[in-house]
Amino acid sequence: MDITPAHTPVLREQVLELLAPRGRSVLVDCTIGLGGHAEAMLAAAGEQAQLIGIDVDEDNLRLARQRLERFGRRVRLFQANFAELTEVLSVAAVQKVDAVLADLGIASSQLDDPQRGLSFSSPGPLDMRLDMRMERTAADFVNSLPEEKLADLIYLYGEERFSRRIARAIVAARRTARIERTDELSRIVSCAIPRPAASARRGVHPATRTFQALRIAVNEELSKLEYLLSVLPEVLAVGGRAAIISFHSLEDRRVKQSFAAWTQQGQARLLTRKPVIPSAQEAAENPRSRSAKLRAIEKVA
């Protein structure tokens, strides 16, 4: 019985067009999630292609394995972070790859699980770990960081201009009791932002940027993205292609700068002069795709 959740991969057709998997022998999905992109890549690549799938989430890997079962031994899955790409390839006895995809978004199954604590929409523990092997949760950050460092974190990773007010409110609240749940933090943040400013955000929840900042910090997302970007030129074969889908400016800026640097150094050519974004139809059908930006490069000799 198929128990895989409904899953619509973001920018699927554009990813296939840019990575051009047909005829390629080794494909890598660095964030395999529920396997939607991987399934499309394998179906388009032909019967000789193999895929290496990576994800930090054990549940994602279980569901991806079910989705990709029909491809048999052509698929190898690893529980790891994409910052461990070179180690995974070493274990898989692969030196160079022909296509790499990294979708930096959070799977809907993770966002919709209250026990993950990734969303302010449903009450749950203030966790936010994508890899449950990591030690520190969002609650640890919220309850232990000094006010100034907490404000800096919210400003740098959430680009939240009311970060000082929010940090002050958090510190005042935790003096009474430890902040342990998403709804508690959401309420504190919402009260800290002036009502006119919150209303001006046009449907964006006041806690969105603070939750983003904490998730990035807990999972060390930006440092791990920078490491992935640093090793891509090394692992791509000549003619190999890499595509990265980002969901906020902090990620996209790093991808854009790295791709531009490789192009200037003669290591790669840009396949996307500007980021590819979802069509109006895709954004309407899958609202979580609205902020997606896809960039791609091809390695040259």
Side-chain angles (χ1 to χ4, degrees):
M1 182 177 64
D2 184 4
I3 58 171
T4 307
H7 172 50
T8 304
V10 174
L11 295 167
R12 179 178 60 187
E13 297 307 315
Q14 295 89 331
V15 165
L16 291 178
E17 180 181 352
L18 288 167
L19 287 182
R22 178 169 296 279
R24 299 183 183 273
S25 57
V26 183
L27 316 172
V28 177
D29 190 336
C30 288
T31 50
I32 199 164
L34 303 186
H37 283 119
E39 181 179 36
M41 290 163 62
L42 282 165
E47 294 185 359
Q48 300 305 311
Q50 61 172 304
L51 181 132
I52 295 171
I54 302 171
D55 206 289
V56 296
D57 189 318
E58 188 176 8
D59 289 337
N60 278 354
L61 288 172
R62 176 177 55 82
L63 294 169
R65 185 173 288 107
Q66 179 184 342
R67 184 182 298 277
L68 303 175
E69 185 177 10
R70 65 188 173 100
F71 297 105
R73 294 183 179 180
R74 293 171 58 194
V75 177
R76 287 182 286 176
L77 301 181
F78 296 85
Q79 185 177 8
N81 188 281
F82 53 64
E84 302 169 281
L85 175 59
T86 54
E87 290 89 336
V88 168
L89 293 180
S90 177
V91 171
V94 172
Q95 293 184 335
K96 300 290 183 180
V97 304
D98 301 295
V100 176
L101 172 66
D103 177 352
L104 305 180
I106 308 301
S108 294
S109 59
Q110 295 170 319
L111 282 170
D112 295 337
D113 181 359
Q115 296 305 308
R116 291 282 190 173
L118 290 163
S119 174
F120 39 76
S121 301
S122 303
L126 195 55
D127 193 312
M128 298 196 187
R129 290 174 297 170
L130 300 177
D131 183 350
M132 302 308 289
R133 298 170 298 178
M134 299 188 75
E135 293 182 0
R136 299 184 72 188
T137 67
D140 294 329
F141 280 84
V142 164
N143 290 287
S144 65
L145 283 182
E147 182 178 324
E148 184 176 354
K149 289 188 176 182
L150 185 58
D152 289 345
L153 183 154
I154 295 169
Y155 180 76
L156 290 173
Y157 293 163
E159 299 179 300
E160 171 59 77
R161 68 189 185 97
F162 294 106
S163 61
R164 302 290 167 196
R165 295 176 64 125
I166 293 169
R168 194 179 310 125
I170 289 172
V171 170
R174 76 190 191 193
R175 289 195 188 105
T176 303
R178 183 177 167 87
I179 303 167
E180 295 282 7
R181 299 187 63 77
T182 55
D183 48 332
E184 293 176 65
L185 180 61
S186 176
R187 184 170 57 252
I188 293 165
V189 173
S190 298
C191 291
I193 296 178
R195 185 170 297 179
S199 300
R201 295 188 178 185
R202 298 180 181 180
V204 177
H205 194 283
T208 297
R209 294 173 184 172
T210 298
F211 271 64
Q212 172 187 297
L214 287 167
R215 191 201 73 227
I216 290 173
V218 167
N219 295 288
E220 303 172 2
E221 293 177 24
L222 296 181
S223 62
K224 288 176 177 176
L225 171 59
E226 287 171 353
Y227 185 80
L228 172 65
L229 291 167
S230 74
V231 302
L232 273 181
E234 172 189 337
V235 303
L236 278 175
V238 173
R241 295 185 172 192
I244 298 182
I245 305 173
S246 60
F247 285 82
H248 54 76
S249 60
L250 296 173
E251 295 171 338
D252 181 60
R253 191 178 304 130
R254 284 161 171 78
V255 175
K256 177 182 178 181
Q257 291 171 348
S258 293
F259 284 7
W262 301 343
T263 303
Q264 291 169 0
Q265 295 162 8
Q267 291 181 285
R269 72 179 182 94
L270 284 175
L271 300 175
T272 49
R273 293 292 174 184
K274 294 183 178 180
V276 177
I277 61 175
S279 65
Q281 179 179 349
E282 180 175 0
E285 293 175 352
N286 181 14
R288 287 177 175 168
S289 74
R290 287 177 297 186
S291 57
K293 291 183 178 180
L294 167 63
R295 297 183 187 269
I297 52 98
E298 180 181 63
K299 184 173 179 179
V300 298

